[in-house]
Amino acid sequence: MSPYCALSMTKPMLCVGGMSVDIVEQCETGPWAGEKLRSVETRWQRGGHASNVSFVLRLLGAQVEFFGVLSRSSMLRDILLEMERNGIDLSHCPRTDENPAFTTVINVRKTGCRTILQCTRNFPYVTIEDFKKLDLSLYGWVHFEARNKLDIIPMIRAILDYNNGRTDCIQISLKVDSCYKENIDLFDMCDYLIFSRELALDLGWQSVQETCLQLAKVLPLPYSINVRRPCIICSWGPLGAGCLDNKGKYYELAASTNQRAKDTYGVGECFTAAIIYALYVREMPLADAVALGNRVAGHKATSSGYNHIATLNTYPVTLTNVIEHRSENVSEDDEAETVICRKFMNRKIQPSDGKLATKLLQRFDRSNYGLAEDSSGDSEPDSHKEPTPVPMPSSSIRKSGYRLSNISRKSVQLRAKRLR
C-alpha cells in the first residue's frame, strides 16, 4: 500500500461486476494473416472492470469490497488469493462451478495497437436476489459497470430507496463503455457517469467536450430545473479528460505525464478508481478528482500490471488547462509534508529533539529563545511586581494538609498564603 495513501475512515466501497482471466500477449509487430510470430512477453492476470477497479482502489488505500459471481475453478485460485491478501472483501460473492470467462489481449509495441478477443460464453452475473442479501448500511459508495440494464436497474432502485430520507446517502457511479442505447436509461439514475472514449468515437463525437455536452442533452430535464443530475466524466486518452458537473460547469484537464506508455491495458480502470477514491475518500472537488485520475492513469501506463500504483504519491495535484479557474495549484515536485506545512501553517515544521520540552520546565529566559534583553528602560515599576511570598512555618503547612514531598515548596507557600 502506498505510504502516501489516505487513511480511510469512511464506509467501504462496493464494486459490482464480473471477474475474468486475461491472457496478455506482447508482440513487436502485428500478426498478419497466415504469419507465425513469437510473442515477446506473455502473462495471465485478473480481468473484469469491477475487479480491477476494486484492486486499484485498495492499492490507493481505500476500503473496498468486490461483489460478483466467482468461479470455483482452480485457475482463479491465485487471483482470489492475491485480492484477499491485499485486503479486498470477497465474502458476499456468489460461487459457481463454471469455468471463468477468458479474454485474450494482443499488444503491438511498434504501433501501440491493441486487439482484444473476448469470450462469447455468457458467464453468470449477480442478480437482484443476491444484491438484496447485502446490508446497504455498510457501504458509502457503489460502483457499477453498465452491462445488462435489466440486472442493474433493480439494484440501483434498491439503493435509491435506501437513500430516501437519509442524510448519509450512498453515492452511485456508473462506467459505460458499450451498449449505449441499451443502457441510456441508467444515466440519470447515478451520481457520476464515467464514459468511454472508444464508445464516444463510435457515436461520432470527436472531442471530450462534445461528448460531455451531448451526454448532457440526453438527460431528461434541463439544468434550469433544480433536480438531481449526474456529473459526467470522460477520459480522452493522451489528450487528457473532461468533466461536466451537475450545475453545468465544464472542466478540461490535460494528461499529466509525458513518459512513453509501456502498457495501456487497464488504464481506464485506473482512471475510474482514482476518481472514485478522490471524490469519496479524499473529498476532492470534481476537477481535482479528474486531475488525480489523469495522474494515476498516466503512472499505470509506465509499467505492466497494477502493483506499481502503490508507489505513487497521490497527495499533490496540479491542475492545468482548466476552463473554470481554480484558486490553488500545488506543484507535483513538492513533498507531501512540505506542502501541508506551507498550506496550513505557512512555515516548515522543525523537530525540537526534546529541547523545547526541557525549556518549558525551566524558568523563562529570553536568551533561551533567541530574544534580546529588553534594554529600552520601559520595564514595569517595582510597585507592580508581585510581592515575594512570606515563608510559612512547617507546623502551619502540616495543619493545612499539604505534603512537601509531593509538591514544590513555592507552591506550598502560595497555597498557605491563600488559606490565611
Side-chain angles (χ1 to χ4, degrees):
M1 186 183 303
S2 171
Y4 301 102
C5 67
L7 182 60
S8 178
M9 302 300 293
T10 57
K11 294 182 180 180
M13 289 170 279
L14 182 69
C15 295
V16 182
M19 179 185 297
S20 63
V21 177
D22 291 354
I23 302 175
V24 183
E25 300 277 357
Q26 298 284 347
C27 301
E28 290 293 343
T29 59
W32 306 101
E35 183 181 10
K36 293 183 179 180
L37 295 176
R38 287 184 177 270
S39 61
V40 179
E41 179 185 353
T42 303
R43 71 178 187 274
W44 65 281
Q45 63 184 32
R46 175 195 56 262
H49 173 78
S51 62
N52 286 333
V53 168
S54 62
F55 191 81
V56 176
L57 280 170
R58 188 59 190 146
L59 291 177
L60 293 173
Q63 302 179 47
V64 62
E65 177 181 345
F66 171 75
F67 183 66
V69 179
L70 299 180
S71 173
R72 295 189 181 93
S73 174
S74 59
M75 294 183 295
L76 208 63
R77 185 179 304 163
D78 293 339
I79 294 178
L80 299 181
L81 289 176
E82 181 188 20
M83 297 183 70
E84 292 178 344
R85 186 168 56 249
N86 282 275
I88 300 175
D89 189 2
L90 304 174
S91 59
H92 297 103
C93 294
R95 307 281 173 158
T96 181
D97 292 329
E98 294 190 22
N99 291 325
F102 285 89
T103 300
T104 303
V105 182
I106 302 175
N107 291 325
V108 180
R109 293 184 176 181
K110 187 175 181 179
T111 61
C113 297
R114 183 172 64 235
T115 303
I116 300 177
L117 304 176
Q118 292 183 341
C119 179
T120 58
R121 179 174 54 86
N122 292 327
F123 189 76
Y125 195 76
V126 288
T127 63
I128 182 60
E129 288 75 16
D130 299 325
F131 191 80
K132 287 181 178 179
K133 297 177 182 179
L134 299 175
D135 184 4
L136 294 180
S137 62
L138 300 177
Y139 310 105
W141 190 294
V142 179
H143 177 68
F144 294 93
E145 52 177 323
R147 297 182 64 177
N148 187 358
K149 68 176 182 181
L150 298 180
D151 296 327
I152 299 177
I153 286 179
M155 301 182 194
I156 297 181
R157 285 179 176 172
I159 298 175
L160 296 178
D161 292 341
Y162 172 83
N163 289 340
N164 189 18
R166 294 178 178 268
T167 56
D168 55 338
C169 297
I170 299 176
Q171 299 292 307
I172 304 173
S173 58
L174 177 71
K175 176 61 184 293
V176 181
D177 54 9
S178 63
C179 304
Y180 171 76
K181 293 183 179 180
E182 291 79 358
N183 294 311
I184 197 171
D185 295 333
L186 301 173
F187 293 176
D188 61 339
M189 300 181 68
C190 61
D191 298 291
Y192 297 92
L193 175 63
I194 306 174
F195 208 76
S196 169
R197 175 193 179 189
E198 288 75 13
L199 182 57
L201 293 175
D202 292 341
L203 296 173
W205 300 335
Q206 300 301 319
S207 66
V208 62
Q209 183 174 7
E210 181 183 2
T211 301
C212 293
L213 296 179
Q214 290 295 333
L215 289 173
K217 294 179 182 179
V218 173
L219 300 177
L221 295 175
Y223 285 99
S224 57
I225 301 178
N226 188 16
V227 294
R228 178 176 173 271
R229 298 176 64 92
C231 298
I232 301 173
I233 305 169
C234 181
S235 174
W236 214 253
L239 300 180
C243 57
L244 191 71
D245 66 9
N246 52 12
K247 303 297 182 182
K249 294 182 180 180
Y250 175 75
Y251 304 87
E252 188 167 322
L253 301 105
S256 61
T257 180
N258 296 322
Q259 301 181 20
R260 182 181 177 182
K262 181 180 179 181
D263 182 16
T264 59
Y265 186 62
V267 167
E269 284 82 357
C270 295
F271 177 78
T272 301
I275 289 178
I276 297 174
Y277 165 78
L279 291 171
Y280 181 58
V281 179
R282 298 276 293 274
E283 298 182 352
M284 288 183 175
L286 181 62
D288 297 358
V290 175
L292 181 60
N294 285 338
R295 289 189 60 240
V296 174
H299 184 71
K300 184 265 172 283
T302 60
S303 182
S304 301
Y306 298 94
N307 291 329
H308 62 285
I309 296 176
T311 63
L312 177 66
N313 182 0
T314 60
Y315 176 78
V317 176
T318 302
L319 300 181
T320 57
N321 296 345
V322 184
I323 295 180
E324 197 69 21
H325 176 70
R326 312 297 295 174
S327 60
E328 290 186 26
N329 288 334
V330 180
S331 174
E332 188 173 335
D333 297 330
D334 292 336
E335 295 182 358
E337 293 182 359
T338 307
V339 172
I340 294 174
C341 299
R342 185 183 299 113
K343 182 176 180 181
F344 296 102
M345 294 182 291
N346 199 26
R347 64 178 178 85
K348 294 182 179 180
I349 296 179
Q350 298 181 358
S352 62
D353 298 330
K355 296 179 181 179
L356 181 58
T358 305
K359 291 181 180 180
L360 291 176
L361 297 176
Q362 299 174 355
R363 182 179 178 272
F364 177 77
D365 190 353
R366 300 175 65 89
S367 60
N368 292 340
Y369 296 86
L371 302 176
E373 294 291 340
D374 189 1
S375 57
S376 59
D378 297 334
S379 58
E380 297 181 358
D382 296 340
S383 58
H384 293 86
K385 295 182 180 179
E386 183 179 351
T388 303
V390 179
M392 292 290 297
S394 57
S395 59
S396 300
I397 296 176
R398 285 193 292 268
K399 291 180 181 179
S400 302
Y402 295 97
R403 299 176 61 185
L404 291 175
S405 60
N406 294 338
I407 56 177
S408 64
R409 184 177 298 275
K410 185 176 180 180
S411 177
V412 170
Q413 293 170 350
L414 293 175
R415 294 187 184 184
K417 179 182 178 182
R418 298 192 192 102
L419 294 174
R420 299 174 69 185

